[in-house]
Amino acid sequence: MLLLLTLTNFVFGADNNTLVPVDILFVMASSALVLLMTPALGMFYGGMVNRQNVLSTTLNGLILYAIIALQWITIGFTLAFGNDISLLIGDFNHLFFAETNGVHGGIPKELFAVFQMLFAVIGAAIITGSVVERMRFGVLLIFILCWSTFVYDVLAHWVWGGGWLMAIGSLDFAGGGVVHIAAGVAGLVGCIMLGKRNYTKGLLPHSLPLSFIGAVFLWIGWLGFNSGSALSVDSIAMNAFITSNFSVIGAMLSWMLIEWIKFGKPTLLGCITGIVAGLVAITPSAGFVTPFASIIIGFCASPICFFAISVLKAKLGYDDTLDAFGLHGVGGIWGGIATGLFATSTINPLVIEEGAGEGLFYGGDFSLLFAQIIAILACFALSGIVSFIILKVISFFVSLRVESAQEENGLDRSLHGEIAYRI
C-alpha cells in the first residue's frame, strides 16, 4: 500500500489543499535526518579541536537545538514565513506557533514549520566552528540567539517566505545562502572580533576517527536536508538525493588530488573535508541541476574551498578555528553562482516559473546569474553587518573571550567542569 501511495504521488503530484500521507511520512523522515546533522556536526567539529575542548565544542551545537527551537516556535517561524510585509519580513500571524493548523503543499503547516526549524538550528550550529576554544559560553548563546532573529529569520523570508530575493527570481533550493553563506560570514566576523587563539599546542585534530564518524552522519543527514526540501515524494526530491551524492563524489576526489599533488600524501582529513565542501556547494542547486552538473559543482568546490582555507585565511590573518567560513561561507558562495550557471527547467519547472530563467550554461541569459549574485551579496552583507553590531553591543557589557588561563587549561574543565579523556 505504501509503495502504491508513493508511486501514485510520484506520477500525479499532490493537490495544494490536500494532505498526502506519503509526503507527510517523507518530510517526517527527512526531518529526523536533518535533526541528526546537529550532533553529527558536533562530532565533526569535536574531533578537530584540542582534546581539552572536545566536550565544550560538542555542547555548543547541542544546546543550540533547544534555544533556537524555542526561538523558532515563539517568533522565528512567523518572521520567516508569516504574511509578507513590504517584501522584507513576515508579520506576527504565527506568533507563538499560532495558525499553523493548515496545509502547506501536501503536508501539515506544522510539519513544514518543524522541518524549517531544523534548518535554523543547523545554521546556528555551523557558526560555532569559527569561534570555539575561546568564546565565552554565555556570549555565544546570546550572540546566536540574536543572530537567528535578526539575520536567519530575515533571510529565510527574503528567499523562501515571499521576500524581495524571491521576487527577483533568485533560487536557493535548500539553504546555500540562508544557511551556509550567512552562518559562514557570521563565523568570520566572530573570529575576527575575538582575535586569534593564544596558545599553539594541539592545533591539529585530536581525533580524526571522531571527525570521520561525524562527517559520515552529516552526509546521511544532508540527504534529508536537500531531498526533503522538495516537500514531496517526486522527481525533484529524487534528483536532489542523487545530485547531493554525486557532488560529494566530485568534491572528495578533487580534494584528494589537490593534497596528493601538493603534499604527496592524500589524507582522511582532506577527504572528509571534501565531503562537506561538496554537500555545501550542491545545497542551493540540488533540486535544479542535472546529476552530471552536480559532479562538476562538487569537483570545483574543493579547490575553491581549499584556496580559502589554505591561502586566503593565511593572507588575511584571521583564526577561523574549524574553517566555517572557508567551507560553508565560500562553498555556499560557489554553490549560489553554480546555480546561476547550471539550473535548468528540464529538472525543475520552478527555474522558469519562479526563477529568473534558465542557467547560463542551459541557454539562459545572465538574468539568473545576476539574481544569484545579488542574493549572495545580500546574505553576506546582512549577516556580516548585523553580526558585527550584535557582538559589538555585547562587548560593551562583557568580554567576548574567556580568560587566558581558562583558554590554556581548556574549556571543558574551565567552563563545564568535565573532561573527555582520563589519560
Side-chain angles (χ1 to χ4, degrees):
M1 178 62 69
L2 178 60
L3 178 60
L4 179 60
L5 284 170
T6 303
L7 291 174
T8 301
N9 188 56
F10 184 84
V11 174
F12 296 106
D15 188 300
N16 285 334
N17 297 311
T18 304
L19 292 176
V20 181
V22 70
D23 288 348
I24 297 173
L25 180 62
F26 171 65
V27 176
M28 288 175 63
S30 296
S31 299
L33 289 174
V34 179
L35 174 59
L36 178 66
M37 293 176 69
T38 299
L41 185 69
M43 289 189 287
F44 180 70
Y45 279 170
M48 291 193 287
V49 297
N50 185 291
R51 60 190 287 123
Q52 296 176 307
N53 295 316
V54 57
L55 299 181
S56 64
T57 299
T58 305
L59 176 61
N60 286 344
L62 181 63
I63 195 63
L64 288 177
Y65 175 84
I67 291 174
I68 302 305
L70 183 60
Q71 184 271 355
W72 186 258
I73 292 169
T74 304
I75 193 171
F77 178 60
T78 196
L79 292 178
F81 292 99
N83 298 320
D84 176 68
I85 301 176
S86 302
L87 300 179
L88 294 176
I89 198 67
D91 68 7
F92 293 128
N93 68 308
H94 296 309
L95 192 66
F96 296 107
F97 228 49
E99 298 183 23
T100 57
N101 55 351
V103 179
H104 185 96
I107 65 173
K109 186 178 290 185
E110 297 161 302
L111 179 58
F112 171 74
V114 170
F115 183 65
Q116 289 295 333
M117 176 189 77
L118 297 169
F119 280 53
V121 171
I122 191 64
I126 288 168
I127 299 172
T128 65
S130 292
V131 299
V132 293
E133 300 192 304
R134 62 199 188 280
M135 180 176 271
R136 288 176 179 266
F137 186 64
V139 169
L140 177 69
L141 300 185
I142 294 170
F143 166 56
I144 293 187
L145 180 61
C146 294
W147 178 87
S148 293
T149 303
F150 299 112
V151 176
Y152 183 88
D153 297 341
V154 174
L155 286 177
H157 184 78
W158 288 1
V159 174
W160 297 322
W164 70 275
L165 290 178
M166 187 176 184
I168 68 171
S170 68
L171 298 174
D172 191 346
F173 187 74
V178 179
V179 176
H180 296 287
I181 295 176
V185 171
L188 176 65
V189 172
C191 72
I192 290 174
M193 294 185 70
L194 281 171
K196 295 183 178 181
R197 286 166 288 177
N198 288 330
Y199 63 95
T200 57
K201 65 179 183 179
L203 294 183
L204 294 176
H206 89 279
S207 177
L208 277 177
L210 181 62
S211 291
F212 168 74
I213 294 170
V216 170
F217 280 114
L218 269 176
W219 185 354
I220 295 170
W222 221 301
L223 298 178
F225 189 85
N226 284 355
S227 60
S229 293
L231 302 178
S232 178
V233 182
D234 57 17
S235 61
I236 296 171
M238 179 187 71
N239 189 79
F241 183 91
I242 294 170
T243 55
S244 298
N245 282 295
F246 280 17
S247 182
V248 170
I249 293 171
M252 197 161 30
L253 285 174
S254 60
W255 204 294
M256 181 191 71
L257 290 173
I258 292 168
E259 288 191 327
W260 212 339
I261 293 169
K262 186 174 178 63
F263 305 116
K265 295 178 180 179
T267 67
L268 176 63
L269 178 60
C271 284
I272 62 177
T273 304
I275 290 173
V276 176
L279 290 167
V280 170
I282 198 60
T283 292
S285 62
F288 301 124
V289 302
T290 67
F292 184 76
S294 70
I295 298 175
I296 298 173
I297 292 171
F299 194 86
C300 294
S302 286
I304 292 170
C305 292
F306 185 89
F307 175 82
I309 292 170
S310 300
V311 179
L312 184 64
K313 184 168 73 168
K315 291 287 186 182
L316 298 181
Y318 59 86
D319 186 10
D320 183 352
T321 311
L322 302 177
D323 296 305
F325 176 71
L327 270 179
H328 297 273
V330 174
I333 290 170
W334 160 238
I337 293 171
T339 305
L341 299 176
F342 294 99
T344 171
S345 60
T346 61
I347 295 296
N348 191 333
L350 291 180
V351 172
I352 295 295
E353 294 171 8
E354 296 185 9
E358 298 281 4
L360 189 63
F361 294 164
Y362 285 83
D365 55 21
F366 284 91
S367 298
L368 180 57
L369 182 59
F370 180 73
Q372 294 302 108
I373 293 172
I374 293 296
I376 290 167
L377 293 175
C379 292
F380 199 107
L382 182 69
S383 187
I385 293 170
V386 176
S387 296
F388 174 80
I389 293 172
I390 294 170
L391 287 171
K392 195 66 177 177
V393 171
I394 294 174
S395 71
F396 291 143
F397 300 95
V398 63
S399 173
L400 301 178
R401 294 183 68 119
V402 297
E403 297 175 2
S404 296
Q406 293 176 316
E407 185 177 346
E408 187 67 26
N409 293 328
L411 304 191
D412 290 358
R413 186 188 298 272
S414 300
L415 300 186
H416 307 294
E418 52 188 359
I419 58 175
Y421 307 103
R422 294 292 177 182
I423 55 174

